[in-house]
Amino acid sequence: MNRTARPHTGAPNDTPADARRRMTTYNGTRLATLPALGRLPAALRRDIHVVSHVLPFRVNDYVVDELIDWDRVPDDPIFRLTFPHRDMLRPEDFDAIASLLDAGADPRVVRDAADAIRWRLEPHPGAQLEQNVPHVDGEPCHGLQHKYAETVLVFPAKGQTCHTYCAYCFRWAQFVGMKELRQQASDPSVLTDYVARHGEVTDVLFTGGDPMVMSTEQLERHVSPLLDPSLDHVRTIRFGTKALAYWPFRFTTDPDADALCALLERCVDHGKHVAIMVHCTHPRELETPAALAAIRRLRATGAVLRTQSPIIRHVNDDAVTWATMWNRQVGLGMVPYYMFVERDTGAHRYFALPLVEAHRVYRDAISSVSGLARTARGPSMSATPGKVVVDGPAVIQGERVLALRFLQAREPAWCNRPFFARFDPTATWLDQLRPAFGEERFFFEE
Ligand SMILES: *Cc1c(COP(=O)(O)O)cnc(C)c1O
Ligand code: SF4
């Protein structure tokens, strides 16, 4: 079959049912049944087993069979991206869990110990939960976040998981069942009621977890109401997803892939800009035939694919990887959008890069690609006051500083106003920076 020749999307999926790929997932408890792991040294297997009691672990057969190069494990970047590593925990925490497991401790005891460690790992960075839930008539709109004027985030209840977990995920807490921390929308009218009263909202962004783990039918319940003429001020519908990397069949051969593409196309036909915010961490994710087919299919709906990812030590912490990734994306018709700084949560100690280093990687990568790939902005921190980009080190009147700028801010007037921190080669997050020039506070702290 020639997929490129398929008529506009919405054409029936002609993959016979028995040729459709079905997902097999492996988590901490099913780890032993994962055949590829048998090739690893026993010590490495044990490390994975121990850490998976604290941090979420879930991987599917597509990632295992087609993305990870097992000849390069444990240094393979996709392996690092998806599998737990002992250095993700403090040594004393690792040892505590390991000795409980060795002693055959009751699972509840292990869980309590794991919970105590989790609470020390900043399960909710930036207190986003309390600060950005909007209200209608004094009632909180659970499952929505409205921080920047133009854009409302939606966390649909059925989209709070992912096809595979990234070990660096800042939403890791909800994956390990820290339920009291969950934020989710089950009733689509919460979104439409809110947006109807907020004419300033031009963008609705479905996020998760991954909204593409939802069936098309579930997704449609949330999306279709946005097409009502009363909500014409919503110009853009965005979907944040990692499915292109972790389960591209979602857009091609899954039983409701056709319906999904038809839904996207319907949004486009209603005059909406549909943006698939593709979470793409490594160029490898854009190499497989399945991923390429999914990209073609999505583009044919009229959706625009924009790409974003954090910069992560052990996975994509060099300029060649980013330049390769951006070039490949542009070649495939995708638009590079953000390079993020890994958040200060979960396995941050393992994945974090100093801001100065992240900036160097960004600068080296961006200066080696065509202007069409320079649409990527970064490295950007989604911090409590807003998205702050590191523009890089400079010397001003003899003082070494780090130039910074808001790309998005709770106060729109803060955007694009340069500000300066004392140069700090080790800081990994905004809250570790101090103002330059002997000032006591940054302007936004006043
Ligand atoms: C990043 C982000 C957005 C979207 O910002 P854009 O710069 O428009 O992509 C919206 N809300 C929150 C809370 C965000 O962190
Ligand atoms: S795809 Fe996003 S939400 Fe899902 S595990 Fe990865 S970082 Fe977390």
Side-chain angles (χ1 to χ4, degrees):
M1 180 192 70
N2 180 355
R3 275 162 199 274
T4 51
R6 173 181 282 158
H8 211 44
T9 62
N13 177 349
D14 46 11
T15 308
D18 57 1
R20 282 183 192 150
R21 180 115 174 204
R22 281 218 194 84
M23 194 176 342
T24 311
T25 54
Y26 302 89
N27 56 20
T29 29
R30 290 199 56 218
L31 203 58
T33 65
L34 178 57
L37 272 193
R39 296 173 53 186
L40 301 186
L44 202 58
R45 289 207 302 271
R46 176 172 181 270
D47 289 353
I48 296 169
H49 178 71
V50 170
V51 178
S52 71
H53 281 80
V54 180
L55 295 172
F57 168 66
R58 170 188 214 166
V59 67
N60 70 39
D61 57 308
Y62 169 76
V63 175
V64 167
D65 297 338
E66 293 179 50
L67 294 188
I68 294 175
D69 177 353
W70 287 89
D71 291 333
R72 294 182 55 195
V73 167
D75 295 328
D76 178 77
I78 308 293
F79 181 80
R80 293 290 176 123
L81 165 64
T82 53
F83 277 75
H85 189 285
R86 75 177 287 146
D87 293 345
M88 291 176 185
L89 300 181
R90 296 190 308 171
E92 54 271 39
D93 290 336
F94 181 93
D95 291 342
I97 298 290
S99 15
L100 285 175
L101 293 173
D102 289 348
D106 186 284
R108 273 172 309 177
V109 175
V110 179
R111 205 181 52 220
D112 287 347
D115 269 343
I117 295 169
R118 289 166 181 159
W119 279 109
R120 284 201 300 273
L121 294 173
E122 294 287 338
H124 262 274
Q128 296 256 350
L129 255 193
E130 303 79 53
Q131 292 183 13
N132 299 307
V133 174
H135 292 73
V136 165
D137 297 336
E139 291 297 316
C141 304
H142 290 297
L144 303 188
Q145 259 188 37
H146 193 191
K147 182 170 178 181
Y148 309 131
E150 301 80 17
T151 306
V152 169
L153 306 192
V154 194
F155 299 79
K158 298 274 168 46
Q160 295 308 305
T161 183
C162 296
H163 297 101
T164 282
Y165 293 153
C166 311
Y168 59 70
C169 181
F170 68 91
R171 300 198 172 116
W172 63 274
Q174 70 184 25
F175 300 149
V176 291
M178 296 178 90
K179 281 212 180 57
E180 59 278 34
L181 297 176
R182 281 198 184 192
Q183 44 197 343
Q184 41 187 253
S186 35
D187 181 358
S189 68
V190 174
L191 169 66
T192 43
D193 287 352
Y194 181 76
V195 172
R197 295 169 186 225
H198 288 266
E200 78 277 19
V201 173
T202 58
D203 290 37
V204 168
L205 197 171
F206 289 92
T207 181
D210 192 328
M212 292 301 170
V213 301
M214 286 192 280
S215 67
T216 302
E217 199 184 329
Q218 289 163 344
L219 199 58
E220 190 147 18
R221 287 180 53 235
H222 291 271
V223 174
S224 290
L226 294 173
L227 303 181
D228 191 273
S230 67
L231 301 180
D232 265 355
H233 55 287
V234 176
R235 307 306 313 148
T236 300
I237 304 176
R238 306 194 214 178
F239 300 92
T241 183
K242 181 113 189 146
L244 202 57
Y246 284 162
W247 191 249
F249 311 101
R250 176 68 188 94
F251 308 107
T252 54
T253 59
D254 271 5
D256 61 350
D258 291 339
L260 172 62
C261 292
L263 172 64
L264 300 178
E265 208 168 82
R266 190 150 62 84
C267 296
V268 173
D269 289 345
H270 274 75
K272 304 294 187 194
H273 175 84
V274 175
I276 313 290
M277 311 305 290
V278 177
H279 177 178
C280 179
T281 323
H282 193 275
R284 174 76 192 125
E285 297 167 343
L286 301 171
E287 277 172 14
T288 68
L292 299 182
I295 292 166
R296 279 201 296 272
R297 189 95 203 275
L298 281 170
R299 288 190 63 208
T301 65
V304 173
L305 281 63
R306 298 180 198 275
T307 59
Q308 53 190 23
S309 168
I311 176 166
I312 297 293
R313 191 181 291 290
H314 309 294
V315 177
N316 61 14
D317 54 350
D318 67 280
V320 171
T321 299
W322 280 89
T324 306
M325 186 158 73
W326 287 335
N327 281 333
R328 188 166 296 162
Q329 289 163 356
V330 169
L332 292 166
M334 307 161 96
V335 183
Y337 189 59
Y338 271 135
M339 172 200 273
F340 289 121
V341 177
E342 157 68 356
R343 280 206 175 160
D344 50 347
T345 178
H348 187 247
R349 64 193 300 277
Y350 180 72
F351 288 119
L353 256 79
L355 296 170
V356 172
E357 230 179 282
H359 172 264
R360 192 182 316 123
V361 171
Y362 174 83
R363 194 193 50 195
D364 289 350
I366 210 91
S367 58
S368 72
V369 295
S370 133
L372 292 190
R374 295 188 190 193
T375 48
R377 291 168 300 164
S380 168
M381 291 172 270
S382 293
T384 308
K387 278 190 172 58
V388 175
V389 70
V390 181
D391 280 331
V395 177
I396 296 181
Q397 298 200 328
E399 180 172 342
R400 281 185 94 192
V401 299
L402 204 52
L404 303 150
R405 188 164 48 95
F406 281 100
L407 297 174
Q408 289 284 3
R410 196 192 305 286
E411 285 296 329
W414 294 352
C415 291
N416 284 306
R417 174 173 159 186
F419 65 99
F420 301 93
R422 272 186 240 157
F423 183 81
D424 180 340
T426 60
T428 56
W429 198 253
L430 182 65
D431 60 6
Q432 296 159 15
L433 295 174
R434 293 320 313 148
F437 314 127
E439 282 166 24
E440 269 184 31
R441 296 194 186 86
F442 290 119
F443 75 90
F444 55 88
E445 291 175 327
E446 274 146 25

